[in-house]
Amino acid sequence: MSGHSKWSTIKYRKGAADAAKGKIFTKHANLITIAAREGGGDPEMNTSLRLAIDNARDDNMPNANIERAMKRGTGANDGSTQIFEMKYEGYGPEGVAVIVNALTDNKNRTVASIRSAFTKNSGSLGESGCVSWMFLKKGVLTLRVDPEKIESYEMLAIESGADDFRVSEESLEIITPPLDFFRIKSAFEAVHAQIERAEITLIPKNTISIEDENVARKILALMDALENDEDVSSVSSNFDIPEKILQKIAV
């Protein structure tokens, strides 16, 4: 499991996710709007929309909010604010690569905010394409499992056609081809697996190991600054911090 995935899972368990800050519904709404605008309003035909809706429901977003976001994406709501999908690339402490995806109605505001987050946290915003070659688009399922179930879940991952799986204490991270994501997710839902996170995202081809706690704190401060920006929908990075340091920092 990559360091960023481990950190995201730890924060989720400790209740430090966006929901605690009252921003999660806005982010879900924007993701649903973009997905509906780009692929249509039928979740059965639009896998991006289906995933956006599933994740919104996992965070208890009301159906009325979901419907409004879908209508905004398909143009059913006249006069709604246009939402733009943006991607920014840069570097954090120790040269770790960072990709930020944002949904915004004001590009100038968003780029200024993201640039400030990098600058204030020992990073730098780079040119388009500077780090994207270091990542692959994959489906990622993070399961919380009892140790005695890990072996059976690993076997199910293999039988379902997953690309890879990674064990980290009580978590099992399953990497899937994007097109097989929902089929593999359904296989684990069928055996009542506890799915903590489910997303199609960018994962690093290689990771940078971070053993120094002070450096780790700086990297995670940058991650938090970016993820707490209300325009940011996702952040990907290639750092790998040992779980014992992550747990200590999260206290």
Side-chain angles (χ1 to χ4, degrees), residues 44-230:
E44 295 302 317
M45 302 297 294
N46 182 346
T47 55
S48 294
L49 178 60
R50 178 181 168 187
L51 179 58
I53 291 173
D54 285 351
N55 287 337
R57 286 176 174 160
D58 286 344
D59 281 323
N60 300 312
M61 185 172 178
N63 286 331
N65 296 39
I66 293 173
E67 290 294 330
R68 279 197 301 271
M70 290 173 60
K71 289 179 179 178
R72 182 170 63 170
T74 57
N77 285 348
D78 293 336
S80 60
T81 302
Q82 186 172 4
I83 302 296
F84 300 95
E85 189 171 19
M86 309 298 295
K87 182 172 80 170
Y88 306 95
E89 303 178 38
Y91 302 92
E94 294 297 302
V96 299
V98 182
I99 296 180
V100 182
N101 290 303
L103 302 171
T104 180
D105 59 358
N106 186 321
K107 297 178 184 179
N108 292 332
R109 179 196 69 220
T110 302
V111 70
S113 179
I114 290 174
R115 188 185 304 277
S116 176
F118 273 101
T119 302
K120 290 179 179 179
N121 292 280
S122 306
S124 60
L125 191 60
E127 299 293 327
S128 177
C130 67
V131 300
S132 58
W133 58 274
M134 301 182 191
F135 295 81
L136 295 171
K137 187 176 183 180
K138 294 288 184 178
V140 180
L141 293 171
T142 302
L143 312 181
R144 189 167 192 175
V145 295
D146 295 328
E148 61 267 20
K149 290 186 177 180
I150 287 180
E151 186 174 345
S152 64
Y153 282 178
E154 289 175 344
M155 186 60 64
L156 179 57
I158 294 171
E159 293 172 349
S160 300
D163 283 342
D164 196 8
F165 55 83
R166 305 164 184 175
V167 179
S168 177
E169 294 194 358
E170 295 179 348
S171 292
L172 177 65
E173 184 181 69
I174 299 164
I175 311 299
T176 81
L179 293 178
D180 294 332
F181 174 77
F182 283 105
R183 179 179 58 78
I184 295 173
K185 180 173 180 280
S186 296
F188 281 93
E189 289 173 337
V191 296
H192 307 291
Q194 184 179 349
I195 300 176
E196 289 192 312
R197 297 172 63 86
E199 57 188 342
I200 295 176
T201 187
L202 297 173
I203 65 170
K205 297 177 183 177
N206 297 290
T207 57
I208 296 176
S209 180
I210 305 297
E211 301 288 341
D212 185 284
E213 184 179 324
N214 290 329
V215 174
R217 288 184 182 277
K218 291 179 180 179
I219 291 172
L220 297 179
L222 172 59
M223 296 298 106
D224 285 344
L226 292 169
E227 291 177 342
N228 288 338
D229 189 300
E230 56 189 26

